[in-house]
Amino acid sequence: MSFKPLHDRVVIEPLDQEEKTSGGIIIPDTAKEKPMQGKVTAVGSGARGDDGKVVALDVKEGDTVLYGKWSGTEVKLDGKTLLIMRESDIMGILQ
């Protein structure tokens, strides 16, 4: 199934965190924190400015981004857990 977000919304696939600490301790799923990094899989066309013109988004598909821990709405599409959020919820692009 294909999903195209509207306006200034972005679809992000969260990146999994390490399952082991640097000391070799395995972290169970229940103790893991929510990921705060993800890969952008789809972007909307942009938000409308006060003048009515569409303002393009700064992020694009394939970017790895950093976002707030509790940002966005979690959905499941085709068995994958994805986040849908506004571009303003994204803190920055990792390079």
Side-chain angles (χ1 to χ4, degrees):
M1 175 189 315
S2 175
F3 181 79
K4 171 79 173 158
L6 299 175
H7 308 294
D8 65 338
R9 288 187 174 77
V10 178
V11 178
I12 296 176
E13 184 175 351
L15 297 177
D16 291 331
Q17 290 187 339
E18 292 287 325
E19 295 188 11
K20 275 194 217 178
T21 64
S22 58
I25 299 172
I26 297 175
I27 303 170
D29 287 340
T30 55
K32 287 184 186 175
E33 289 193 21
K34 288 185 75 158
M36 294 176 28
Q37 291 182 21
K39 182 168 239 136
V40 177
T41 59
V43 295
S45 58
R48 292 217 179 264
D50 293 334
D51 59 357
K53 294 181 182 176
V54 175
V55 179
L57 301 179
D58 292 328
V59 296
K60 61 186 180 305
E61 289 183 32
D63 283 346
T64 302
V65 296
L66 186 66
Y67 53 87
K69 191 178 285 193
W70 305 107
S71 297
T73 302
E74 196 172 283
V75 296
K76 279 201 178 235
L77 291 174
D78 295 333
K80 288 184 177 178
T81 300
L82 303 171
L83 289 171
I84 300 173
M85 65 180 70
R86 293 190 179 274
E87 184 189 36
S88 60
D89 292 336
I90 296 172
M91 292 185 233
I93 300 170
L94 297 171
Q95 296 180 350

